[in-house]
Amino acid sequence: METDSLYLRLAAHYRRAILGGVLAPGDRLPSVRSLMQSHHVSLSTAVQACRRLEEEGLVEARPRSGYFVLRPRRPVLAPVREPDVSRTPDPAQYVGIHDRVSAFIARCEAMGSGSNFAMAAPPAEFFPVEALKQAMMRALRRHPEMLCSRVPPQGHPALRSVLARRALEIGVQAHPDEVIVTHGCIEALNLALRAVARPGDTIAVESPTYFGLLQVLESLGMRALEVPTRPQHGMSVDALDLALQAYPDIRAVVTIPNHHNPLGCVMPDAEKARLVALCERRGVALIEDDTYGALGDAGPPPALKAWDTTGNVIYCASMHKTLAPGMRLGWMLGGRWSRRIEMLKFAQTRPNEPLAQAAVADYMGSKSYDRHLARLRVRVRNQREEMADAIARHFPEGTRLNAPSGGMLLWVELPAGTSGTGVFERALRDGVRVAPGAMFSNSDRYDHFLRVSCAEDYTAATARAVRLLADAVAAEVPRTARAAA
Amino acid sequence: METDSLYLRLAAHYRRAILGGVLAPGDRLPSVRSLMQSHHVSLSTAVQACRRLEEEGLVEARPRSGYFVLRPRRPVLAPVREPDVSRTPDPAQYVGIHDRVSAFIARCEAMGSGSNFAMAAPPAEFFPVEALKQAMMRALRRHPEMLCSRVPPQGHPALRSVLARRALEIGVQAHPDEVIVTHGCIEALNLALRAVARPGDTIAVESPTYFGLLQVLESLGMRALEVPTRPQHGMSVDALDLALQAYPDIRAVVTIPNHHNPLGCVMPDAEKARLVALCERRGVALIEDDTYGALGDAGPPPALKAWDTTGNVIYCASMHKTLAPGMRLGWMLGGRWSRRIEMLKFAQTRPNEPLAQAAVADYMGSKSYDRHLARLRVRVRNQREEMADAIARHFPEGTRLNAPSGGMLLWVELPAGTSGTGVFERALRDGVRVAPGAMFSNSDRYDHFLRVSCAEDYTAATARAVRLLADAVAAEVPRTARAAA
């Protein structure tokens, strides 16, 4: 009688073939009869091996056809480690995050071509270029005088209406007059922060968080307090509560609740409700950056603003990731700070120019926009899953990864002691760009992380670049970690 | 023999007819023969009266045709009073100038139609709408992907090149890479101030100055120190020197050296050189707002930046007044603060969207732009002179006015004790909008002033509106002033 280990060895053989890409999703596994013949095993062993692979989610049985390789739906890597939510880090001020980030960005930009896993922006062909061009042409033909007339205050009425209507999908009731159109989400964040806080004030943010937010805080002379954040559930409300008690000078919380950058996670509804209630109770403004929400695989998760009954939440969003990176349009709902935000917007850049707004309102009000979003979500999801598979296949043992349910970002935890910045340097030499974890914190807490952006179609070139990246990671894994693995 | 007073009385009769508009520029004065018959005077008296009017610049003799009414080329009103340049006012911080100005603006905007002497922006038909529309269409056809691609850093290369080339005309040598494209001059001013100063710092400005600048300072939490400013020569460099000695915490000077808003004056070249040298010597940044320079009757006066050899001058300008108010494009040269300004621009709004820049570069690089500017200057000059004439004719005695050599603004000093805000209220009820002096200072120093904008074609409706405005002024002149007049 054959031992148990025989069917396990057989399963392991085919597992490697699947994870290594020798057998691709959709491929048929050799039939049970072929397995018996090729490997000289019994029917029982062949069947047990197939069932084992089926349990692991690597193949599926199709009646009367055999076993077929599946696209792995669950991460085959362990999830990213949870933080200690009882620690409350010190606020950091002007630690040079801007220069650090700028240096990374400049070095990436200096490399004109090659695979780009650093940039969280899909190429133009992912967006409805032709339809937007036509919408711009129509707006120009109808109202060319817009180019040379005074601009309407706070935004073009048609766009404000469309945005208020779209906000219903994320659970937010807003009158068009409350919508303030901005130069991207970044201006919205600036205005929100300037409305509720002053230089020297402390602002609670996720840890890790979007480097652009850290740059904004540094440029405004505000201090970032990085709140422990759970990689699959977002900012820890309990840790925030502790921080608010420890630091009474925290003026605001800035959070990315939906498809967080860089974590990719969505804060569960119950946590969203708790977070909104906590900030309200403590009298701390809650600023929400919803840049990625619309890229949820199953549509946009609800905004924090949906739980806001008192105007304590400032909602900020943009069209960069979903529609038109080159038009630089964002928008916000100012809650109880609306009037002050309108004043600051007027004093900072005046209202936005109307032409682009008219065109985008035209397109966003149409069914074409919904069809585009649906296609974009599928495309981004496929890229993300291909990338996750490839990382699972090629990155060294000890790598950890979550499986976000939307967005284009993967937050990769490298084996302990591996320098993400070292990986960045090595990969750059090989023509591959990636964002090292050091960009996402004022501390060095995430230096053994990478943010891998899946913004481009997954092609043979992408596959080659992932392997180069995996080689760079492997070369940076410290010997001790390699020995332990 | 007739007395001297007779020809003087006859001249006064026709002077009134001319200043009152009964005889318009270009009209023929009655012939000497007609004057003799109508007024029963001698040939000598009729000729003396005509010569007197000729000496006053009211009529001109054309050989064998008689005397014709001239457009008054010299102001018939006394110039605005000079300030006491030895006084150094206290810095003012957050005194609510923003709310005050916003209230004026909102009340003007609530009135949809009627003559608008409050707004310093010509209507769309003054600008090359069709040519800009075509340039936008070309840019869209050539590079529609710009709408959905990442934006180039600090500005579109073609626009940066055109602006650097255009800067030569105002005496400025700048490499295209130094040009930073912004959302209007207002963002440029924000970035310049944020680069060189912090909240709580004191900034020296002209007195009076553009209300938008006072709003920016208030929104940034900076203190404005209003430096005595000569209505025909701009900021007093001597007064500034005193102020810099009295207040060592002054971090920057912001000035509008060319066709100042609201004064209309141009700082003489020698004063520009002194100002640049003083700021350099005292280690105080000099920020220049050149919004109106290009509207000089004889072309743009040189920029302060032309005298800058050390990078201590930050140059800010826009295309709102000269090309396309609705495109909201501005630009700046950051001098020695360029890198910090680039950082702040990135953190505040990211680089501007490229489409509008490509189109404007296309147009500004063409001869059409020069032709448009030449036409615009003539049109604005005519409007300004018509308005000055009308004010001279209709405003009560004691009114004072300068005659700027460019731009679209007139700074009108009303008889002592007349409330400009009272005039604003009365005129608004009659459907006429004007900017009261109170908008241009944190003090009440200019409450007996009006800024009259000549941004619209001077039509019969304009003439009626000026008379309504004159009536409002007359009604606000205090009895004591009326008795004295």
Side-chain angles (χ1 to χ4, degrees):
Chain A
M1 189 186 174
E2 294 160 21
T3 59
D4 273 2
S5 60
L6 191 54
Y7 89 80
L8 287 177
R9 282 211 300 277
L10 186 59
H13 180 70
Y14 282 96
R15 186 187 304 113
R16 276 195 299 277
I18 292 168
L19 295 181
V22 179
L23 289 173
D27 282 357
R28 191 174 177 279
L29 211 63
S31 67
V32 168
R33 181 169 305 269
S34 309
L35 290 175
M36 288 165 67
Q37 289 174 354
S38 308
H39 300 281
H40 311 288
V41 295
S42 68
L43 174 67
S44 157
T45 298
V47 168
Q48 272 183 295
C50 290
R51 290 210 176 134
R52 172 74 187 201
L53 294 173
E54 192 180 15
E55 284 161 16
E56 287 176 7
L58 292 174
V59 302
E60 69 175 345
R62 293 186 194 158
R64 279 179 300 278
S65 306
Y67 289 90
F68 289 79
V69 176
L70 280 178
R71 179 183 308 284
R73 286 291 168 207
R74 283 162 298 177
V76 290
L77 294 180
V80 172
R81 259 177 276 261
E82 293 281 316
D84 174 5
V85 298
S86 63
R87 83 182 149 76
T88 303
D90 288 337
Q93 185 183 24
Y94 208 96
V95 292
I97 184 74
H98 204 291
D99 286 345
R100 190 200 292 185
V101 168
S102 297
F104 284 126
I105 293 176
R107 297 193 52 203
C108 284
E109 278 177 353
M111 198 172 76
S113 64
S115 283
N116 197 336
F117 305 146
M119 199 164 70
E125 63 262 29
F126 276 50
F127 299 107
V129 171
E130 182 59 26
L132 285 171
K133 173 185 142 189
Q134 294 302 335
M136 288 287 277
M137 296 274 206
R138 274 195 301 279
L140 276 167
R141 283 191 200 101
R142 274 183 210 151
H143 295 292
E145 76 285 354
M146 275 195 294
L147 297 172
C148 298
S149 306
R150 283 194 77 205
V151 292
Q154 310 316 336
H156 191 285
L159 183 59
R160 298 172 91 184
S161 292
V162 167
L163 291 171
R165 216 157 52 235
R166 290 272 168 192
L168 293 172
E169 296 166 17
I170 51 173
V172 175
Q173 297 272 353
H175 190 275
D177 289 350
E178 293 172 64
V179 173
I180 300 171
V181 179
T182 59
H183 294 293
C185 190
I186 208 79
E187 184 177 39
L189 289 171
N190 269 272
L191 295 170
L193 283 163
R194 292 182 59 198
V196 304
R198 287 189 300 184
D201 283 345
T202 300
I203 310 296
V205 301
E206 280 124 354
S207 183
T209 192
Y210 171 45
F211 56 81
L213 172 59
L214 297 176
Q215 290 177 302
V216 169
L217 291 175
E218 179 175 323
S219 75
L220 293 173
M222 296 176 187
R223 297 152 64 84
L225 184 124
E226 299 185 18
V227 176
T229 299
R230 302 181 59 198
Q232 301 192 62
H233 299 98
M235 184 182 282
S236 161
V237 180
D238 296 318
L240 176 64
D241 201 356
L242 289 176
L244 292 177
Q245 290 168 48
Y247 298 98
D249 63 334
I250 294 177
R251 285 282 160 280
V253 177
V254 185
T255 173
I256 309 168
N258 296 326
H259 302 300
H260 184 268
N261 181 359
L263 294 173
C265 63
V266 174
M267 182 178 262
D269 285 358
E271 291 299 288
K272 283 179 177 169
R274 282 183 69 212
L275 178 60
V276 171
L278 174 66
C279 290
E280 173 60 32
R281 196 167 66 242
R282 298 260 180 216
V284 171
L286 181 52
I287 300 169
E288 166 176 35
D289 170 357
D290 196 22
T291 295
Y292 288 92
L295 291 181
D297 293 347
L304 287 177
K305 185 80 183 159
W307 280 269
D308 180 28
T309 55
T310 61
N312 194 49
V313 177
I314 302 179
Y315 178 86
C316 305
S318 87
M319 293 79 155
H320 307 327
K321 307 296 177 180
T322 49
L323 184 56
M327 297 177 83
R328 301 271 339 124
L329 278 170
W331 62 288
M332 66 194 298
L333 299 167
R336 67 169 69 127
W337 293 276
S338 286
R339 276 214 56 204
R340 180 153 167 81
I341 290 171
E342 284 171 12
M343 181 278 259
L344 291 170
K345 168 67 174 151
F346 184 82
Q348 182 165 288
T349 56
R350 300 279 186 270
N352 278 42
E353 61 287 358
L355 180 73
Q357 297 182 64
V360 165
D362 182 352
Y363 183 76
M364 281 185 80
S366 73
K367 283 281 167 212
S368 307
Y369 178 59
D370 294 290
R371 284 192 296 268
H372 154 68
L373 268 186
R375 277 193 305 269
L376 182 64
R377 282 174 191 140
V378 169
R379 202 164 173 178
V380 165
R381 175 193 182 149
N382 285 341
Q383 292 163 196
R384 199 181 62 237
E385 292 187 341
E386 293 269 15
M387 182 69 83
D389 291 356
I391 289 171
R393 275 198 299 276
H394 300 298
F395 273 42
E397 248 182 285
T399 300
R400 289 166 168 264
L401 179 67
N402 294 333
S405 60
M408 61 187 86
L409 302 175
L410 291 173
W411 184 238
V412 185
E413 183 173 358
L414 304 177
T418 311
S419 162
T421 307
V423 172
F424 168 82
E425 299 290 349
R426 276 182 197 271
L428 202 61
R429 284 197 290 274
D430 288 335
V432 178
R433 289 164 281 185
V434 68
M439 290 175 79
F440 301 90
S441 170
N442 284 311
S443 73
D444 54 2
R445 204 172 290 137
Y446 302 104
D447 196 33
H448 64 300
F449 282 83
L450 298 177
R451 188 193 74 178
V452 178
S453 173
C454 320
E456 294 173 358
D457 270 330
Y458 199 93
T459 64
T462 320
R464 276 194 300 277
V466 175
R467 282 195 295 272
L468 287 169
L469 183 59
D471 292 345
V473 173
E476 285 288 327
V477 174
R479 284 180 191 189
T480 49
R482 263 178 270 177
Chain B
M1 189 184 175
E2 294 160 22
T3 60
D4 272 3
S5 60
L6 191 53
Y7 89 80
L8 287 177
R9 280 211 301 277
L10 187 58
H13 180 70
Y14 281 97
R15 185 187 305 112
R16 275 196 299 278
I18 292 168
L19 295 181
V22 179
L23 288 174
D27 282 357
R28 190 173 176 279
L29 212 63
S31 67
V32 169
R33 182 169 304 269
S34 306
L35 290 175
M36 287 165 67
Q37 289 174 353
S38 307
H39 300 280
H40 309 290
V41 294
S42 68
L43 175 66
S44 156
T45 299
V47 168
Q48 272 184 295
C50 289
R51 290 207 176 137
R52 172 74 186 202
L53 293 173
E54 193 180 14
E55 282 162 18
E56 287 176 8
L58 292 173
V59 301
E60 70 176 354
R62 293 186 194 159
R64 280 179 298 278
S65 304
Y67 289 91
F68 289 80
V69 177
L70 279 179
R71 179 183 309 286
R73 285 293 167 206
R74 282 162 299 177
V76 289
L77 294 179
V80 172
R81 258 176 276 262
E82 293 281 318
D84 174 4
V85 297
S86 63
R87 82 182 150 76
T88 303
D90 288 336
Q93 184 183 26
Y94 208 96
V95 292
I97 185 74
H98 204 291
D99 286 345
R100 191 201 289 185
V101 167
S102 297
F104 284 126
I105 293 176
R107 296 192 54 203
C108 283
E109 278 177 354
M111 197 172 76
S113 64
S115 283
N116 198 336
F117 305 145
M119 198 164 71
E125 63 261 29
F126 276 50
F127 299 106
V129 171
E130 182 60 26
L132 285 172
K133 173 185 142 190
Q134 294 302 335
M136 288 286 278
M137 296 274 207
R138 273 195 302 279
L140 277 167
R141 283 192 200 100
R142 275 183 209 152
H143 295 292
E145 77 285 354
M146 274 195 295
L147 296 172
C148 297
S149 306
R150 283 194 76 206
V151 292
Q154 310 317 337
H156 191 285
L159 183 59
R160 298 172 92 184
S161 293
V162 167
L163 292 171
R165 214 156 54 234
R166 290 272 168 193
L168 293 172
E169 296 166 17
I170 51 172
V172 175
Q173 296 272 355
H175 190 273
D177 289 351
E178 293 173 65
V179 173
I180 300 170
V181 179
T182 60
H183 294 293
C185 190
I186 207 80
E187 183 177 41
L189 289 171
N190 269 272
L191 295 171
L193 283 163
R194 291 182 60 199
V196 304
R198 287 189 301 184
D201 283 345
T202 300
I203 309 297
V205 301
E206 280 124 354
S207 183
T209 193
Y210 171 44
F211 55 81
L213 172 59
L214 297 175
Q215 290 177 302
V216 169
L217 290 176
E218 179 175 323
S219 75
L220 293 173
M222 296 176 187
R223 298 152 63 84
L225 184 124
E226 300 185 18
V227 176
T229 298
R230 301 182 59 198
Q232 301 192 61
H233 299 99
M235 183 182 282
S236 161
V237 180
D238 296 319
L240 175 65
D241 201 356
L242 289 176
L244 292 178
Q245 290 168 50
Y247 298 99
D249 63 334
I250 295 177
R251 284 285 159 278
V253 177
V254 185
T255 173
I256 309 168
N258 296 326
H259 302 300
H260 184 268
N261 180 0
L263 295 172
C265 64
V266 174
M267 183 178 262
D269 285 358
E271 291 298 289
K272 284 179 177 167
R274 283 183 69 211
L275 177 60
V276 171
L278 174 66
C279 290
E280 173 60 32
R281 195 167 66 243
R282 298 260 180 217
V284 171
L286 180 53
I287 301 169
E288 165 176 35
D289 171 358
D290 196 22
T291 295
Y292 289 91
L295 290 181
D297 293 346
L304 286 177
K305 185 81 183 159
W307 281 269
D308 179 28
T309 55
T310 62
N312 194 49
V313 177
I314 303 179
Y315 178 86
C316 305
S318 87
M319 293 78 154
H320 307 328
K321 307 296 177 181
T322 49
L323 184 56
M327 297 176 83
R328 301 271 338 125
L329 278 170
W331 63 288
M332 67 194 298
L333 299 167
R336 68 168 69 126
W337 293 276
S338 286
R339 276 214 55 204
R340 179 153 167 81
I341 290 171
E342 284 171 13
M343 181 277 260
L344 291 170
K345 168 68 174 151
F346 184 82
Q348 181 165 288
T349 56
R350 299 279 185 271
N352 279 40
E353 62 287 357
L355 180 72
Q357 297 181 65
V360 165
D362 182 352
Y363 184 76
M364 281 185 80
S366 72
K367 282 279 167 213
S368 307
Y369 178 58
D370 295 290
R371 284 193 295 268
H372 153 68
L373 268 187
R375 277 193 304 269
L376 182 64
R377 283 175 190 139
V378 169
R379 202 163 172 177
V380 165
R381 175 192 181 148
N382 285 341
Q383 292 163 197
R384 198 182 63 236
E385 292 188 340
E386 292 269 15
M387 183 69 83
D389 291 356
I391 289 171
R393 274 198 299 276
H394 299 299
F395 274 42
E397 247 182 285
T399 300
R400 289 165 168 264
L401 180 67
N402 295 333
S405 60
M408 61 187 86
L409 302 175
L410 291 173
W411 184 238
V412 185
E413 183 173 358
L414 303 177
T418 311
S419 162
T421 306
V423 172
F424 168 82
E425 299 290 350
R426 275 182 197 271
L428 202 61
R429 284 197 291 274
D430 288 335
V432 179
R433 288 164 281 185
V434 69
M439 290 174 79
F440 301 90
S441 170
N442 284 310
S443 73
D444 54 2
R445 204 172 291 138
Y446 302 104
D447 197 33
H448 65 300
F449 282 83
L450 298 177
R451 187 192 74 178
V452 178
S453 173
C454 320
E456 294 173 358
D457 271 330
Y458 199 92
T459 64
T462 320
R464 276 194 300 277
V466 177
R467 282 194 296 271
L468 286 169
L469 183 59
D471 292 345
V473 173
E476 286 288 326
V477 174
R479 285 183 191 189
T480 49
R482 263 178 269 179

